[in-house]
Amino acid sequence: MGHDAGVPTTTADADAVLIGGGGASTAVLHHLALHLLRQQHRRPLRVIVVDPLDRLAERPADRTWCSWVPRGSAAEAELEPAVHRWWPTVQVVAPDGTAAELDLAPLRYAMVRGEDYYAHVAGLVDLARERGALQLEHLPVAALGVEEDSSATRVVLPEGALVAPVVLDSRPAPPARPGASSLVQHFLGQRVRGREGSVDPDRAVLMDFSVSQPEVGLAFGYCLPSDTATALVEHTAFVPEPLGAAEQAAALAEHLPRALGTTTSADLVVEHVETGAIPMTDAPFPQRPPAPPGLRRSRVVRLGTAGGAVRPSTGYAFTAMQRAARAVAGQLAAGVPGDRLEVPHPYPRRHAWMDALVLRALLDGPRRGGLDGPEFFVRLFARNPPQRVLRFLDGLTGPGEELALMATSPRGPMLRAAALDAAWRLRSGR
Ligand SMILES: Cc1cc2nc3c(=O)[nH]c(=O)nc-3n(C[C@H](O)[C@H](O)[C@H](O)COP(=O)(O)OP(=O)(O)OC[C@H]3O[C@@H](n4cnc5c(N)ncnc54)[C@H](O)[C@@H]3O)c2cc1C
């Protein structure tokens, strides 16, 4: 077979190889299965997932994904079967304990348990397989790397290699170069069961800033009820370095009874523990590695955290991962090779700049002319319609809405951050 611009000449082992089988990859399988179940196909699409962890149906309950979803949207319909709870309103609690109820209409806050999402997608994949639309194989090994030239892209495994015209890579990866400001979102959560009737199932708390604050950065609690006895309660900190395990456990233990409106946590049963550290940085995560000689673009697309899906100012990534997966699914099914895949940029460039300012100002803190984190977020939600803030965090607002958001941010700290950022860019040539 001859080749031109990106069409591999080496026989392929699959139509696509997915390196990493976590959030980003599961979203791709989700949208791919939905797409294949809707369309006519001549032969099954062959996909191989490479991940040392369990295959989809057996992945552990390792995370809870929350996001806000427009009512009546395609995203709502796609996600509905995997959603554990929806809330039309959420609360933001100020440092003094004052709670503000935010009506999110036309959005709703969605809570998707990892295990439910994996099971739902595994079910769709099975259906697509039964219909002869998809052949999915899972290789339980760690990929060692990717080698690419103009004729082929090879995923290097401990034994052998896989050749495919498309490689979607969601292995954790460092940024292309260091940024100016980096925090880590470090959180610990427990799914707890108390007495029947002890939990208000309609009171979802997005951010409760009445917890002790770190010296640099910010901290908040988070409470998402499942029913009248069970809730997921988390302690989250945006800090320069992860908290110590004991410090984090103590912070959650202190917050738990208050979050649930009880005086003691003695009668609570912990059903599940969830922890994580998400990078919040203005360092760049390119969506593709450099192109090899003779190719316009690499056939490798980086997805998820490795591809810049994590919103630097919040650590949310779910919606951006869904967006990328939706865009990729139809193209994969149509046989578009990796170098021609069009994948939306996770967030607009001007949002990346605004996030860089927020990170810098949070790191400086009020004592060094920067932001008081809790005050900043409470004020943002108090002075803007919640939909505007949430749409901004999803990367969906236009310049007019962004000007309105900037007008409600503390002017001094943000102007100072903008000046420091401009000086840093001049110095570093960015
Ligand atoms: C506990 C937790 C809760 C979160 N909650 C939210 C939330 O509520 N809302 C939100 O928007 N975001 C949330 N996030 C952030 C983000 O959505 C998740 O981190 C998401 O899982 C990122 O998907 P990913 O595919 O990039 O990474 P992962 O899901 O971590 O998947 C990466 C995969 O790569 C595999 N891997 C590693 N090395 C190799 C290798 N060499 N070869 C092959 N495979 C390899 C790993 O085994 C893993 O399965 C949360 C993150 C965590 C950790």
Side-chain angles (χ1 to χ4, degrees), residues 263-282:
T263 46
T264 166
S265 47
D267 55 349
L268 296 176
V269 178
V270 178
E271 293 187 337
H272 174 76
V273 178
E274 173 167 319
T275 185
I278 304 174
M280 299 173 69
T281 174
D282 57 1

Side-chain angles (χ1 to χ4, degrees), residues 156-224:
V156 184
L157 305 177
E159 287 178 27
L162 294 170
V163 173
V166 181
V167 173
L168 302 178
D169 189 354
S170 56
R171 278 173 300 165
R177 48 180 190 270
S181 311
S182 296
L183 289 166
V184 59
Q185 178 173 150
H186 195 200
F187 53 91
L188 173 66
Q190 291 180 346
R191 197 184 293 162
V192 291
R193 173 169 288 280
R195 272 180 304 100
E196 201 51 55
S198 62
V199 175
D200 177 353
D202 298 325
R203 183 173 176 269
V205 178
L206 186 69
M207 292 174 148
D208 178 346
F209 289 107
S210 69
V211 301
S212 311
Q213 294 298 319
E215 228 164 83
V216 179
L218 60 87
F220 58 89
Y222 188 101
C223 181
L224 296 177

Side-chain angles (χ1 to χ4, degrees), residues 129-181:
R129 206 185 254 145
E130 280 163 24
R131 302 235 183 119
L134 179 65
Q135 237 177 49
L136 181 69
E137 193 184 337
H138 175 243
L139 292 184
V141 295
L144 301 179
V146 180
E147 289 172 356
E148 188 167 41
D149 57 34
S150 62
S151 65
T153 304
R154 291 174 206 83
V155 176
V156 184
L157 305 177
E159 287 178 27
L162 294 170
V163 173
V166 181
V167 173
L168 302 178
D169 189 354
S170 56
R171 278 173 300 165
R177 48 180 190 270
S181 311

